[in-house]
Amino acid sequence: MKIGIDSYCYHRYFGEVYDFQKDPGKRWTTDDFVRRAIELKVDGVSLELCFFPRFDSDYLKQLREMLDEAGMERVAAWGHPDGLEAGNNEGALKDLIAQIDTAMALGADVMRVVGSSLMFRDQARGPQIERLTAMFKEAVKVAADKNVILAMENHIDYTASELLTLINNVDSKYFGVNFDTGNCLRMFEDPVASAELLAPYIYATHIKDLSPRKGGSPQAWNFWESVPNGKGIVDIPAVMKVLKDAGYKGTLCVEVDCLQEDWEEDQAVEMSVNYLREQAAKLGL
């Protein structure tokens, strides 16, 4: 299976430092991230649009050429941190639709999108899904015309069955899931069972491992700290097998967020990439 990296792994390098984290004392650009991904010889990247320095055609063309030369697959990742805000933000919907052109300019045929976030998890989710259904039906019309698949991440907001309801409501081959293994646990679900339920609709992934911290509340997302793949409690090999059996064609895209302080971002990413390669070899994937 193909292996990739999401640029959000380096969110502190991009200047997004959570209030409980230390500043790493370095700054990257999206170009720096792509160069590092090339050094790690991965097959693809997921590019967080929130970290782009600009969106003019010259810059997007230069970035696409860099990716093309490296032979890298790419996903354009829209919506950090709260996306459509559970269907309450019409301005965000307009931006999502506008950024489909960015995905095209980058040569990405999959665009990760965010419908909501932990901020809205405790609000009634039925009405949220109704609002998001209408929004994604509007967005997917544009995406379909441009041959771009919108893949909604399980963003610590909805269960796998709720996502399946949304997928059935939107009812388009251009709408599916960006499956995040760690965020399943943050929703108190089994990542393997969730992968099995959603497998036919998964177009992109975040392969994330977690290790619960001592103290705090499991309701808080930072209770479930990221660790390098293979160092936590997510059964990643089992998820890999589910995806393989389902005929998944995209990349296994490493993502770390809220990284446990024992690790450093680039160290965690390299360890995670190597782990996925080792597991793929063991599983014959």
Side-chain angles (χ1 to χ4, degrees):
M1 297 187 80
K2 295 171 290 188
I3 295 168
I5 308 170
D6 191 291
S7 61
Y8 197 74
C9 293
Y10 297 96
H11 64 85
R12 289 197 302 169
Y13 291 17
F14 285 105
E16 184 182 86
V17 182
Y18 309 146
D19 56 10
F20 51 83
Q21 291 183 316
K22 295 178 181 178
D23 192 310
K26 64 175 71 176
R27 289 293 179 266
W28 276 14
T29 65
T30 297
D31 295 49
D32 293 325
F33 163 72
V34 172
R35 283 190 284 268
R36 181 57 177 143
I38 292 170
E39 289 175 353
L40 291 170
K41 297 181 170 59
V42 294
D43 303 294
V45 290
S46 177
L47 300 170
E48 296 285 340
L49 300 183
C50 62
F51 296 141
F52 274 36
R54 60 187 197 274
F55 293 96
D56 59 272
S57 59
D58 287 344
Y59 176 70
L60 298 178
K61 180 175 181 290
Q62 170 259 313
L63 189 56
R64 177 173 182 165
E65 288 173 350
M66 187 187 307
L67 295 166
D68 287 346
E69 185 176 348
M72 280 196 178
E73 296 188 12
R74 76 265 350 214
V75 170
W78 175 90
H80 177 72
D82 301 315
L84 297 174
E85 297 183 1
N88 291 306
N89 192 329
E90 290 290 340
L93 175 61
K94 292 178 182 177
D95 186 62
L96 185 164
I97 291 171
Q99 293 288 16
I100 294 172
D101 284 336
T102 299
M104 289 183 64
L106 291 170
D109 57 11
V110 175
M111 181 173 170
R112 186 284 302 241
V113 295
V114 174
S116 188
S117 72
L118 179 64
M119 296 293 294
F120 306 91
R121 181 174 68 174
D122 294 329
Q123 298 176 14
R125 297 207 284 267
Q128 295 182 32
I129 290 171
E130 289 182 12
R131 294 191 296 268
L132 289 173
T133 295
M135 284 183 159
F136 281 123
K137 279 188 173 182
E138 181 178 347
V140 84
K141 290 177 184 177
V142 179
D145 286 343
K146 299 182 178 183
N147 202 33
V148 174
I149 294 169
L150 303 182
M152 178 175 158
E153 181 180 347
N154 51 319
H155 205 231
I156 327 178
D157 44 19
Y158 305 111
T159 64
S161 61
E162 288 167 340
L163 280 175
L164 188 58
T165 296
L166 184 57
I167 290 166
N168 289 333
N169 288 352
V170 175
D171 190 24
S172 171
K173 67 179 183 179
Y174 289 94
F175 183 73
V177 176
N178 184 119
F179 183 70
D180 187 306
T181 56
N183 286 348
C184 293
L185 275 179
R186 290 167 172 165
M187 287 296 292
F188 310 107
E189 293 199 304
D190 176 5
V192 180
S194 295
E196 289 173 342
L197 182 64
L198 296 170
Y201 311 101
I202 295 174
Y203 295 102
T205 63
H206 286 162
I207 305 300
K208 180 188 297 172
D209 210 348
L210 304 179
S211 179
R213 70 191 306 172
K214 184 177 181 179
S217 168
Q219 290 285 344
W221 79 282
N222 60 346
F223 174 86
W224 305 93
E225 293 178 313
S226 287
V227 291
N229 286 340
K231 299 296 183 181
I233 62 175
V234 177
D235 190 348
I236 289 173
V239 172
M240 293 169 66
K241 188 175 186 306
V242 168
L243 294 172
K244 175 65 175 179
D245 291 346
Y248 175 64
K249 303 298 184 185
T251 62
L252 301 172
C253 198
V254 170
E255 188 191 37
V256 296
D257 62 15
C258 191
L259 185 62
Q260 200 173 81
E261 63 181 11
D262 295 341
W263 311 97
E264 187 274 337
E265 280 86 348
D266 197 48
Q267 174 196 35
V269 168
E270 186 166 359
M271 290 175 66
S272 296
V273 167
N274 290 336
Y275 174 80
L276 293 182
R277 286 175 173 150
E278 291 166 2
Q279 294 305 310
K282 287 180 181 178
L283 295 168
L285 302 181

